[in-house]
Amino acid sequence: MSALTSHLRKYASAPVCHDIQINGQLVGLHDSGVLWWPEESTLVVADLHLEKGSSYARRGVMLPPYDTGATLEKLAGVMDAFDPARVICLGDSFHDAGGSDRLPAHYRAMLTTLQLGREWIWVTGNHDPVAPVRLCGETVDQVELGPLKFRHEPVEKIGSEAAEGEICGHLHPAARVRRFGRSIRRPCFTTDGTRMVLPAFGALTGGLNVTDEAFGMIFRRRQFSVFMLGNDRLFPFTASRLVAD
Amino acid sequence: MPKTSLWLSPSCPSHPKTEAMDAALLPNRFQSWFAHRGWSPRPHQLQLIDHLSAGHSTLLIAPTGAGKTLAGFLPSLLELEARGKRKAGAAGSQGVHTLYISPLKALAVDIARNLEAPVSEMDLPIRLETRTGDTPSHKRQRQKTNPPDILLTTPEQIALLLSDPASERLFASLKTVVLDELHALVTSKRGDLMALGLARLRKHAPGLRTIGLSATVAEPLDLRAYLVDQPDPGTRALAHVVEVSGGAKPDVSILNSEERLPWSGHSSRYAMGDIYELIKGHNVSLLFVNTRSQAEAVFQELWRINADTLPIALHHGSLDVGQRRKVEAAMAAGMLRAVVATSSLDMGIDWGDIDLVVNIGAPKGASRLAQRIGRANHRMDEPSKAILIPANRFEVLECQAALAASRRGDQDTPPLRKGALDVLAQHVLGMACADPIDPVALFDEIRSAETYRALTWETFEKVLSFVATGGYALKSYEQYAKLKKGKDGLWRIAHPKIAQQYRLNVGTIVEAPMLKVRLVRSKADGRRAPIGRGGRMLGEIEEYFVEQMTPGDTFIFGGEVLRLEGIRENEAFVSRAKTDNPMIPSYMGGKFPLSTYLAESVRSMLATPGSWHALPPQVREWLEIQQEKSVLPSKDGLLVETFPRGHKNYMVCYPFEGRLAHQTLGMLLTKRLERLGARPMGFVANDYALSIWGLGDLSLLFSSGKIPLDTLFEQDILGDDLDAWLAESSLMKRTFRNCAVIAGLIERRHPGQEKTGRQVTVSTDLIYDVLRSHEPDHILLQATWNDAAEGLLDISRLGELLSRIQGRITHTGLPRVSPLAVPILLEIGKEPVYGEAMDALLEDAAEELVLEAME
């Protein structure tokens, strides 16, 4: 409780988050889909998939070219609200390895402005295994800060030491709840208290249901919780309340 | 069992008076062939020959059994006979002479088989072939280099052929196009695709004549205009018309049951005993229902009481193809006594001697009913027999209205569509695959099609730019353009791969994502083991239907109650359930809304107590009590009733404009009432009425003038509120998905690709959101809006309703529910209820969890 009050005093101006503990660290989950680590003034965001539209356009599928803009605007809003000292992008920040090179000039400028005055860490992902070009920030395969480990893909071993304090993305978790014969599917945070999978932040990123067997490799069956993204708040559910697609 | 030929029936006695050519002028081969069969050509067949030889395109309107199809082919058979055997290398011998286009590939194949007989019996020098999706590729290839004289095919195949650089040569000597079931074709996007194809065919073969074969329609002028070139945007050019007035009047009646008529519901379960007796009393009965689920329910009910084990079968579009073919074959062989069918059998192929059509549930449209009745007794001069089974009291009124329409021969087929923009986009790409595009010439060509006559140059340019680069205001995809403009001003495809992509995506039918239904052993048997590999395939089911279920839920499919075991990739694993009562309500609403014509008839019937004598006593009594306790809805106005019930207040209104329009209205009214402080909680809609309930005292709010009803139903409700709602509407997103696929924005899923399809691919919902917030005027959103206005949301009809009732709204505050309101209130809990935004639902679920934890 004292940790919470001191946190409230210290970050009184920060947006309302759902506070939980991961591997003993107090972190806040925000309904935009970002994770806020107040202790380190660090903002974590996963799977931006910038330039996904143009990645498809190259192959003749002309998706709207507005995804990068929409994602960056949303990110800018979050940065305004939290004003973090450090930002960690958890991989798949660009939809393909050439994405950062294709980034239109005004979006590059916008991103660079967001990076001003803070530490920026690009974690590599399977979509963007290389460092982005002509952009600031440090590129790493993974990074460990205190008790938390930041990487793109989760370690596929439940209860292993490597998984303790792991914050990752990659899976684009989404959950489905059924009620009165209708069902609702939303992106969500997924955690068992020792590790956490963030929802995908990018505008054109779909989701994978957390009941999929891919999640069975990282959480014990039904022994995890999700926080579904709503408008201005999160909706927590235990895994047993969720349904498959 | 021998049966009469599909396209020709024994003629009636030859008419003494023939305005057209004399049958005696037919070539000998034809005369002796007719004589040999004991037939003689009918007047309309000869008239058609006349028109065609004068070079006129013609619409033939005739009831089933009039020898329509032969009429369509006779002119071509005569011309080809006169031409004689093709000489190799002779000019004009390289192309197709006649195209026959049917909306069903099975119909094309069937007609070809039936056409073979006269061609071989008369020894005509004619080669005829079919071309469908099932035609092997070597044969398709050969058809391009060495085409038959008569090619029988589908609209999609025409689009494919026209996208081929060889199409000009292939169709240069084309003389005639026969369009079968034209009345059905023109109501869909396939009709748009065909219209564009026709425009191109006319360009390849300038003297081209078209023949449209159609059932009776409300607006024959529309079809006549569809068939010909429209050179002048100002006036409408028309094809000639030959109309065969329908033979014997059908014998239609409404079931007069001893049973109590239900207040609501769609199962018609009360009438099953009667229906069973009807089946027993006839040789072969065809039982039509409106939805797949109804078909399932009726089939199951009939078998439950089938003490004589009569052979009764089931036929609907979701069943496995093999299963359907089996039913069709058994029917043709005369082995069945009854088939329960959906609209999958509305059209085309018929088998043998059906002597009774039973229409279960409301007919929804007068013409729809007429076409269904036409399935019985394919002989013009004998009356078809049909019986209507209303499932509830409102449906009695609807059946009565349809019956009256049938006696008068009234039609209510919808007016001609406005050509869809997503189809246009597909066509433009296809044309670019064939030849470099000259935009001005292509624009003129497109506007020569009736349904695209009103297309503006601005819209056309947008479509062209959409095809080339996605058409976004943000011009960021120029470098990836699919079409590139050359120095000569012509647009060419950037890469041969584009043509390949086009070919895989051609067509306008976007199937709802389907899951295969596979039978496995039940987990409920206590087996903990994972679900096995699975056994027999039962058919396919809409993905969204399964999506609302959780493993363990039971539902009816293929005539059995099944239990959902799980979903893997694109398969739904099910087991046989040990229950007769499925948990998931099977009725999911009819696909077709009540036609405006029938709606009007029902309203006028309600408003005229003098006409009630034709109604069953139970229904009459119901209306009389309504008259006493409340008031009757007027013909052109709107009745709004309010009353308290339980702890809520209800408002029920009776627009009779169909479920889709009512749903949209309900959504909008709820939003507006909320803003006005009436605290609405939800609503439910059916074809006849709409009910909204809430916590606020609606009676008082309306009667005190706090919320004037004229303001509540003001036409501006179609403005901002609608816009706000559309952003969230899943119907709108589904419509967008279809448009995106047809227009070629995203690629169709092909067999074998579904494995990854269900999981991540690009979600069209997300594309919709992004596009809507960044470029709301995008051409694809326009196309989606047009579709929604006509189809899913029925906004155009809603607009007409709102303007009709202005100043004619009657409010009655009642102490309790009125008789007329009972049916709609009974549907609460059965039909999905629409209410608050999704978040409220989540909140509710989350709060229940809290309660659970606190107890």
Side-chain angles (χ1 to χ4, degrees):
Chain A
M1 194 63 198
S2 66
L4 184 65
T5 29
S6 75
H7 154 74
L8 282 177
R9 206 169 299 131
K10 202 163 156 194
Y11 302 99
S13 61
V16 178
C17 283
H18 196 108
D19 291 325
I20 61 162
Q21 293 218 344
I22 299 290
N23 207 23
Q25 282 296 306
L26 185 78
V27 295
L29 311 180
H30 189 246
D31 57 65
S32 62
V34 301
L35 180 140
W36 172 237
W37 188 12
E39 199 75 9
E40 291 278 330
S41 184
T42 295
L43 186 91
V44 189
V45 60
D47 297 276
L48 298 171
H49 285 265
L50 297 171
E51 290 301 298
K52 180 166 180 172
S54 64
S55 178
Y56 273 80
R58 282 192 310 159
R59 309 199 314 254
V61 178
M62 304 293 176
L63 298 187
Y66 304 110
D67 58 314
T68 300
T71 306
L72 287 179
E73 273 159 34
K74 194 170 134 200
L75 187 60
V78 175
M79 300 288 265
D80 259 4
F82 288 94
D83 192 20
R86 182 196 290 127
V87 174
I88 302 177
C89 296
L90 281 182
D92 287 1
S93 305
F94 290 90
H95 189 69
D96 59 61
S100 60
D101 191 32
R102 286 198 309 274
L103 195 66
H106 54 288
Y107 291 141
R108 184 177 303 278
M110 192 173 167
L111 186 51
T112 307
T113 311
L114 292 181
Q115 293 183 318
L116 277 181
R118 33 187 143 252
E119 184 186 353
W120 195 283
I121 299 173
W122 300 105
V123 175
T124 55
N126 51 318
H127 280 261
D128 55 351
V130 292
V133 298
R134 285 175 285 140
L135 281 168
C136 310
E138 186 190 350
T139 304
V140 297
D141 288 335
Q142 51 179 311
V143 59
E144 205 167 323
L145 294 169
L148 300 183
K149 308 178 182 82
F150 301 87
R151 56 172 76 100
H152 180 61
E153 289 185 42
V155 172
E156 288 190 348
K157 205 159 176 210
I158 301 170
S160 71
E161 200 192 319
E164 275 171 30
E166 180 185 75
I167 311 286
C168 62
H170 183 58
L171 291 170
H172 300 205
R176 183 185 288 278
V177 180
R178 196 173 152 210
R179 183 95 181 128
F180 299 134
R182 297 171 80 190
S183 75
I184 306 170
R185 192 182 199 269
R186 291 280 172 86
C188 63
F189 291 93
T190 310
T191 182
D192 60 359
T194 61
R195 69 204 305 200
M196 156 75 69
V197 187
L198 263 60
F201 191 83
L204 282 186
T205 50
L208 176 66
N209 196 304
V210 293
T211 58
D212 189 274
E213 52 201 44
F215 287 90
M217 314 293 272
I218 55 173
F219 295 118
R220 279 195 182 83
R221 203 174 127 78
R222 298 207 168 177
Q223 294 184 19
F224 59 90
S225 303
V226 302
F227 296 83
M228 292 167 75
L229 307 189
N231 299 328
D232 298 325
R233 62 170 284 195
L234 294 168
F235 297 98
F237 291 97
T238 54
S240 58
R241 302 264 305 177
L242 305 176
V243 297
D245 281 340
Chain B
M1 173 194 277
K3 57 174 182 148
T4 51
S5 155
L6 277 185
W7 45 278
L8 183 67
S9 24
S11 79
C12 41
S14 59
H15 286 241
K17 171 182 78 87
T18 30
E19 320 90 358
M21 75 179 275
D22 198 322
L25 294 179
L26 284 179
N28 283 339
R29 289 202 237 202
F30 285 78
Q31 285 194 31
S32 53
W33 181 75
F34 271 106
H36 179 73
R37 292 265 174 135
W39 299 342
S40 64
R42 293 185 173 180
H44 64 268
Q45 294 171 334
L46 297 172
Q47 262 175 293
L48 209 59
I49 295 173
D50 250 12
H51 285 315
L52 266 277
S53 55
H56 301 312
S57 293
T58 309
L59 173 67
L60 173 61
I61 298 177
T64 352
K68 229 184 326 193
T69 315
L70 178 65
F73 279 109
L74 261 183
S76 297
L77 296 184
L78 287 167
E79 282 176 25
L80 286 165
E81 198 249 8
R83 183 202 64 182
K85 225 176 176 55
R86 265 212 269 206
K87 291 174 211 79
S93 68
Q94 282 298 302
V96 176
H97 177 281
T98 294
L99 278 176
Y100 164 89
I101 298 157
S102 137
L104 288 180
K105 67 178 173 192
L107 187 57
V109 172
D110 222 52
I111 297 286
R113 212 172 30 238
N114 285 281
L115 198 54
E116 290 284 358
V119 166
S120 67
E121 283 163 20
M122 286 188 263
D123 193 25
L124 297 173
I126 297 174
R127 211 174 89 222
L128 61 98
E129 284 175 11
T130 57
R131 181 189 178 95
T132 68
D134 301 336
T135 309
S137 64
H138 67 270
K139 189 173 170 193
R140 282 197 247 179
Q141 208 50 45
R142 205 257 299 126
Q143 284 174 338
K144 279 191 214 162
T145 50
N146 182 13
D149 301 303
I150 300 179
L151 184 65
L152 301 98
T153 185
T154 58
E156 288 73 20
Q157 292 296 324
I158 295 295
L160 277 174
L161 284 170
L162 286 174
S163 75
D164 195 294
S167 70
E168 192 170 352
R169 184 177 48 76
L170 190 63
F171 294 124
S173 54
L174 185 69
K175 297 285 182 289
T176 310
V177 175
V178 182
L179 295 161
D180 206 352
E181 305 271 356
L182 186 60
H183 59 279
L185 181 65
V186 296
T187 58
S188 68
K189 288 189 178 179
R190 300 178 83 198
D192 297 344
L193 188 67
M194 195 62 241
L196 294 165
L198 274 181
R200 175 49 63 107
L201 287 171
R202 275 194 288 264
K203 190 173 155 247
H204 287 330
L208 184 67
R209 301 154 304 175
T210 50
I211 298 176
L213 308 177
S214 169
T216 319
V217 289
E219 287 295 337
L221 290 180
D222 283 348
L223 298 192
R224 289 170 63 187
Y226 181 93
L227 286 174
V228 293
D229 183 30
Q230 301 292 337
D232 175 5
T235 53
R236 212 182 192 198
L238 295 175
H240 282 62
V241 63
V242 172
E243 199 160 356
V244 183
S245 46
K249 285 260 172 216
D251 162 18
V252 190
S253 56
I254 298 177
L255 176 75
N256 195 357
S257 178
E258 300 284 301
E259 304 291 329
R260 206 179 138 272
L261 262 166
W263 288 85
S264 76
H266 302 270
S267 72
S268 301
R269 195 177 290 193
Y270 79 97
M272 282 309 146
D274 296 298
I275 296 174
Y276 188 66
E277 289 308 313
L278 284 172
I279 296 173
K280 279 207 323 204
H282 291 81
N283 291 326
V284 186
S285 308
L286 197 46
L287 279 55
F288 276 115
V289 293
N290 288 331
T291 64
R292 187 201 78 220
S293 329
Q294 274 174 307
E296 297 281 5
V298 167
F299 178 72
Q300 219 194 13
E301 284 296 314
L302 282 177
W303 270 97
R304 195 178 305 204
I305 56 173
N306 191 356
D308 305 287
T309 55
L310 299 178
I312 298 174
L314 176 67
H315 191 289
H316 61 68
S318 299
L319 288 179
D320 187 53
V321 184
Q323 182 67 27
R324 270 183 280 163
R325 292 294 104 82
K326 250 194 239 166
V327 172
E328 287 161 15
M331 188 75 175
M335 284 154 57
L336 296 178
R337 291 291 297 278
V339 178
V340 182
T342 59
S343 53
S344 60
L345 282 185
D346 264 1
M347 185 165 52
I349 307 145
D350 63 303
W351 338 285
D353 297 318
I354 295 159
D355 55 352
L356 177 69
V357 169
V358 180
N359 194 80
I360 301 172
K364 299 296 162 206
S367 297
R368 159 168 295 275
L369 180 65
Q371 280 153 30
R372 285 185 164 181
I373 294 172
R375 309 312 301 152
N377 225 341
H378 254 209
R379 274 168 222 148
M380 241 178 96
D381 27 19
E382 289 169 33
S384 313
K385 185 172 173 193
I387 292 180
L388 313 183
I389 318 273
N392 58 51
R393 289 165 184 229
F394 268 118
E395 286 192 357
V396 172
L397 303 178
E398 193 182 325
C399 286
Q400 194 66 41
L403 186 67
S406 161
R407 292 201 173 126
R408 285 192 302 267
D410 283 357
Q411 301 293 333
D412 56 2
T413 44
L416 201 60
R417 306 165 37 87
K418 225 178 95 198
L421 296 175
D422 49 349
V423 180
L424 182 60
Q426 186 183 98
H427 178 73
V428 167
L429 182 59
M431 294 306 95
C433 295
D435 286 305
I437 290 179
D438 171 358
V440 178
L442 183 59
F443 176 63
D444 287 341
E445 178 189 315
I446 288 165
R447 292 224 306 175
S448 77
E450 169 67 13
T451 46
Y452 287 93
R453 209 144 62 102
L455 182 72
T456 63
W457 174 254
E458 288 68 36
T459 310
F460 174 72
E461 268 192 316
K462 276 191 180 179
V463 170
L464 185 60
S465 126
F466 167 81
V467 176
T469 61
Y472 302 105
L474 191 66
K475 305 253 177 232
S476 44
Y477 292 161
E478 301 298 333
Q479 51 180 325
Y480 314 122
K482 288 203 243 182
L483 301 184
K484 289 194 166 148
K485 192 175 172 177
K487 288 209 176 72
D488 52 4
L490 301 182
W491 295 65
R492 294 175 170 79
I493 51 170
H495 196 276
K497 261 201 300 207
I498 309 283
Q500 221 174 333
Q501 220 176 20
Y502 166 81
R503 273 180 211 119
L504 286 172
N505 288 289
V506 83
T508 62
I509 301 170
V510 182
E511 301 285 344
M514 300 293 266
L515 295 177
K516 296 198 170 87
V517 181
R518 197 184 276 285
L519 196 63
V520 296
R521 264 195 273 165
S522 174
K523 268 200 276 198
D525 298 342
R527 289 152 23 99
R528 291 308 275 151
I531 305 168
R533 289 238 97 188
R536 201 154 64 84
M537 193 79 77
L538 299 176
E540 290 192 322
I541 194 164
E542 295 88 353
E543 185 176 323
Y544 68 83
F545 181 72
V546 182
E547 257 179 10
Q548 55 159 352
M549 292 194 273
T550 34
D553 283 353
T554 52
F555 62 104
I556 308 190
F557 185 86
E560 308 178 80
V561 181
L562 301 175
R563 178 180 191 275
L564 182 68
E565 297 292 341
I567 299 173
R568 186 168 304 164
E569 284 157 8
N570 60 338
E571 297 190 347
F573 290 146
V574 298
S575 62
R576 292 212 167 86
K578 296 183 179 77
T579 167
D580 279 345
N581 294 315
M583 284 161 23
I584 299 299
S586 52
Y587 180 69
M588 310 218 323
K591 269 190 268 178
F592 321 100
L594 179 66
S595 82
T596 11
Y597 170 88
L598 282 190
E600 210 181 303
S601 312
V602 169
R603 280 200 309 270
S604 96
M605 194 186 306
L606 275 174
T608 327
S611 67
W612 295 353
H613 56 85
L615 298 171
Q618 297 177 55
V619 176
R620 217 156 50 215
E621 189 192 6
W622 173 52
L623 297 181
E624 278 157 8
I625 299 176
Q626 168 73 17
Q627 202 173 9
E628 194 181 304
K629 303 264 181 196
S630 176
V631 283
L632 290 165
S634 67
K635 186 168 178 293
D636 297 314
L638 179 73
L639 170 64
V640 178
E641 295 175 331
T642 50
F643 49 85
R645 194 162 182 277
H647 297 293
K648 297 183 206 110
N649 285 288
Y650 290 79
M651 153 185 163
V652 180
C653 60
Y654 306 91
F656 294 96
E657 290 296 350
R659 195 171 50 89
L660 300 174
H662 292 172
Q663 263 173 20
T664 308
L665 182 63
M667 204 78 71
L668 298 176
L669 285 179
T670 314
K671 272 193 184 298
R672 188 165 270 197
L673 283 169
E674 194 170 350
R675 255 207 329 271
L676 295 170
R679 290 187 290 161
M681 291 169 65
F683 74 88
V684 65
N686 64 16
D687 261 343
Y688 317 102
L690 164 69
S691 172
I692 300 180
W693 59 90
L695 299 171
D697 187 344
L698 294 167
S699 291
L700 188 66
L701 287 168
F702 293 158
S703 61
S704 68
K706 272 227 171 82
I707 301 181
L709 280 172
D710 275 334
T711 316
L712 186 62
F713 287 90
E714 184 74 51
Q715 276 164 284
D716 66 5
I717 201 168
L718 291 176
D720 294 351
D721 281 339
L722 181 62
D723 218 45
W725 172 56
L726 287 182
E728 283 293 315
S729 163
S730 62
L731 285 177
M732 203 65 181
K733 287 177 177 170
R734 214 180 297 158
T735 309
F736 176 77
R737 178 180 170 270
N738 289 357
C739 288
V741 169
I742 293 172
L745 176 68
I746 52 165
E747 295 181 288
R748 243 169 231 277
R749 291 188 204 164
H750 291 284
Q753 285 182 332
E754 292 94 341
K755 287 206 165 152
T756 53
R758 267 178 57 74
Q759 294 186 345
V760 189
T761 61
V762 206
S763 149
T764 44
D765 289 7
L766 297 174
I767 298 177
Y768 175 79
D769 290 341
V770 167
L771 200 51
R772 216 178 162 283
S773 56
H774 288 81
E775 197 169 340
D777 297 330
H778 192 263
I779 191 85
L780 214 50
L781 292 177
Q782 268 180 45
T784 308
W785 169 257
N786 293 347
D787 273 16
E790 295 303 319
L792 285 169
L793 310 177
D794 234 346
I795 290 161
S796 51
R797 197 160 163 190
L798 186 53
E800 284 161 30
L801 162 75
L802 294 175
S803 83
R804 187 188 81 217
I805 59 171
Q806 277 307 302
R808 294 188 181 140
I809 303 173
T810 315
H811 171 234
T812 321
L814 300 169
R816 64 179 68 85
V817 57
S818 77
L820 221 49
V822 170
I824 182 89
L825 289 206
L826 284 174
E827 293 203 20
I828 299 174
K830 285 185 194 150
E831 278 280 302
V833 169
Y834 298 84
E836 265 308 284
M838 286 299 209
D839 267 27
L841 215 62
L842 272 178
E843 204 163 317
D844 195 54
E847 254 140 40
E848 188 187 72
L849 188 68
V850 172
L851 280 180
E852 226 170 75
M854 299 295 280
E855 267 167 11

